[in-house]
Amino acid sequence: AGQVADLQALGCSFATVPFVVEARRNSAAAVSTLAGQLNTLGRQLRDAGLQLAYHHHAFEFAPLDTGTMWDILTAETDPALVKLQIDAFWADRGGHDPAALIRRHGDRVVMLHLKDRAPDGSDVPAGTGSLDWDAILAAGRESGVELYICEQDNPRDALEDARRAYEEMA
């Protein structure tokens, strides 16, 4: 309840699940339980005037006992209650074309993390690595992405990295 009041006081539109501990994602059954919990939370947040979103990493695309965490979550959560925050870097690291992933989920994708991949596999500011930003941004526009977030997991200089990504994406 306190977090919801904080988000409302700040004028936020979204509450995002940024990470899921391994115990909640180590089997198809655990992920199915998580999906039900996300639907419940999404309904509660909607009633409070907020929208729930889920942020992924690469582990959502790894095989489980049946399917992948991503497949289970996107199939078993209500698209009206649980939106998606696609991270271009982690989609790529998980073996997916970020633009295709955005298009696959259409208007369910409300936020996009702009983070690029360096030749050594590390994350670098958007536009300075190897991802196809023309295609990614076009997919974002087609899907109606509302927020574009410049983010680095391991920034060299946080403000400089954000400035560089902003200039590259403008």
Side-chain angles (χ1 to χ4, degrees):
Q3 293 91 349
V4 170
D6 290 346
L7 290 169
Q8 291 169 327
L10 292 170
C12 295
S13 301
F14 299 100
T16 303
V17 174
F19 184 80
V20 176
V21 297
E22 189 171 349
R24 293 178 168 256
R25 58 180 165 91
N26 61 5
S27 69
V31 175
S32 190
T33 298
L34 174 64
Q37 293 167 331
L38 291 174
N39 283 327
T40 298
L41 179 59
R43 192 171 299 105
Q44 293 167 345
L45 289 168
R46 181 190 61 197
D47 293 346
L50 296 165
Q51 176 66 64
L52 180 63
Y54 183 86
H55 172 79
H56 70 86
H57 295 83
F59 60 75
E60 282 87 353
F61 304 110
L64 287 173
D65 41 342
T66 58
T68 68
M69 181 178 179
W70 184 259
D71 293 336
I72 295 166
L73 281 180
T74 57
E76 294 185 17
T77 54
D78 182 338
L81 298 174
V82 183
K83 300 296 184 182
L84 302 172
Q85 183 183 81
I86 299 292
D87 186 310
F89 172 80
W90 286 119
D92 177 73
R93 288 286 299 266
H96 289 269
D97 170 8
L101 191 64
I102 294 165
R103 286 189 178 99
R104 178 175 151 201
H105 295 288
D107 64 2
R108 190 171 187 182
V109 180
V110 293
M111 291 178 268
L112 178 59
H113 273 208
L114 308 176
K115 181 169 46 186
D116 218 330
R117 181 173 42 86
D120 68 0
S122 65
D123 66 301
V124 293
T128 66
S130 61
L131 298 184
D132 183 352
W133 289 102
D134 289 338
I136 295 167
L137 294 174
R141 285 188 299 273
E142 292 166 17
S143 295
V145 167
E146 296 178 39
L147 296 173
Y148 293 83
I149 303 160
C150 294
E151 179 219 30
Q152 297 305 127
D153 289 342
N154 300 293
R156 286 89 185 140
D157 176 322
L159 291 176
E160 176 58 25
D161 285 355
R163 183 195 62 74
R164 179 81 187 270
Y166 177 79
E167 288 175 356
E168 292 289 335
M169 296 294 103

